[in-house]
Amino acid sequence: MLKRFFKNNRCLIVIFCIMIILSSCFSGIVAYSVSNYNGITIVIDPGHGGRDGGSVGVNGTIEKEINLKYAQVLKERLVRSGYRVELTRKTDDGLYSEFASNKKMSDMRARFNIIQNTNPNLVISIHMNSFGSPSAKGALTYYRNGDEASKRCADLIQASLNTYCDAPTRQGKVGDYYILNCSYYTSILIECGFISNPEEERLLNTKEYCEKFVEAVYSGILLYFGNSNDYV
Ligand SMILES: [Zn+2]
């Protein structure tokens, strides 16, 4: 009786076994990604977007484009190490409504809403700097006045950037920016470098420097969250 059942349903049994094997594989992947999460959520905010291109480099770098690139590379680095990361802007487009009379405010409100809905442990806004004198160079990390946690984070990331990226010796700076003031979350804004400086603009556009820069920011983040031993 049993023998006849196996004989008649051989095909079904094979399909059933394949399904069992596949489902155990997929549950393994899900279990891995859940266990990989280190409990820290970060919002990365690539500055500008859409009709707001930001600064333009001496050799034509569009700030909104390079901001997005740095944000994406930083996101990949953090996700690989178990952080949950949300980008405010995932494409070239701005976040404003086409119908808004004040598109800048509409864009900033949308970024604020993403931050609020994500409830992050840290917000990092990414920008590129520009100045009249072409000799100005190096990264600058800003925090909102009077916020000790944001100051500590900005100082650690700035110190890491000074070391890794051979930047002029600086500390975190007080900055009066909407993205820093709009919420009570720990928030910093990084001006990665000056695209008004021809040499720094060239450097910022190389894959090697971008990766080195991101590694420096990552190292500062690890120190801020107090698990510097995990640094790899
Ligand atoms: Zn900017």
Side-chain angles (χ1 to χ4, degrees):
M1 171 81 177
L2 202 61
K3 207 170 171 183
R4 192 152 17 118
F5 172 81
F6 279 113
K7 199 174 174 187
N8 293 343
N9 296 285
R10 201 179 292 161
C11 196
L12 276 174
I13 291 164
V14 169
I15 291 171
F16 181 71
C17 289
I18 290 172
M19 282 173 70
I20 296 270
I21 291 165
L22 282 177
S23 72
S24 66
C25 286
F26 281 116
S27 67
I29 290 167
V30 171
Y32 170 74
S33 61
V34 168
S35 67
N36 190 36
Y37 176 49
N38 67 5
I40 298 169
T41 300
I42 297 180
V43 168
I44 303 176
D45 170 56
H48 313 282
R51 61 182 71 202
D52 171 16
S55 304
V56 178
V58 270
N59 289 308
T61 299
I62 311 289
E63 189 195 344
K64 65 171 179 174
E65 294 174 1
I66 191 167
N67 289 346
L68 183 59
K69 193 170 85 182
Y70 273 63
Q72 286 166 335
V73 175
L74 179 58
K75 176 182 175 174
E76 282 165 25
R77 182 65 185 94
L78 288 164
V79 167
R80 210 159 69 231
S81 298
Y83 293 78
R84 186 164 79 86
V85 178
E86 190 69 41
L87 289 177
T88 54
R89 175 166 74 85
K90 300 179 181 72
T91 69
D92 185 61
D93 297 332
L95 300 181
Y96 48 81
S97 158
E98 283 299 336
F99 306 106
S101 54
N102 186 338
K103 292 196 170 45
K104 185 71 188 167
M105 191 38 72
S106 169
D107 180 271
M108 297 315 282
R109 288 294 305 181
R111 290 172 204 255
F112 163 72
N113 287 336
I114 292 169
I115 292 168
Q116 287 291 108
N117 293 336
T118 307
N119 190 27
N121 302 94
L122 175 62
V123 178
I124 302 176
S125 190
I126 301 284
H127 286 257
M128 300 290 152
N129 223 334
S130 183
F131 192 63
S133 161
S135 61
K137 66 169 198 168
L140 288 162
T141 311
Y142 290 94
Y143 61 93
R144 64 173 166 266
N145 196 16
D147 181 342
E148 280 307 310
S150 298
K151 179 185 188 309
R152 193 169 75 81
C153 184
D155 281 342
L156 287 168
I157 289 178
Q158 184 67 51
S160 183
L161 287 168
N162 296 344
T163 308
Y164 280 77
C165 298
D166 200 20
T169 305
R170 289 172 173 144
Q171 288 187 311
K173 284 170 76 83
V174 169
D176 187 18
Y177 297 103
Y178 176 91
I179 206 79
L180 299 181
N181 298 330
C182 72
S183 78
Y184 289 107
Y185 297 108
T186 302
S187 305
I188 59 160
L189 183 148
I190 307 175
E191 295 277 6
C192 303
F194 286 79
I195 54 176
S196 48
N197 176 323
E199 174 52 21
E200 193 154 68
E201 180 190 23
R202 186 196 64 74
L203 208 55
L204 284 160
N205 277 295
T206 65
K207 189 169 175 281
E208 293 72 28
Y209 188 80
C210 176
E211 283 171 0
K212 192 161 84 164
F213 191 94
V214 160
E215 211 53 41
V217 174
Y218 175 67
S219 166
I221 291 170
L222 280 181
L223 289 170
Y224 174 68
F225 287 110
N227 52 349
S228 57
N229 291 337
D230 292 351
Y231 181 64
V232 285

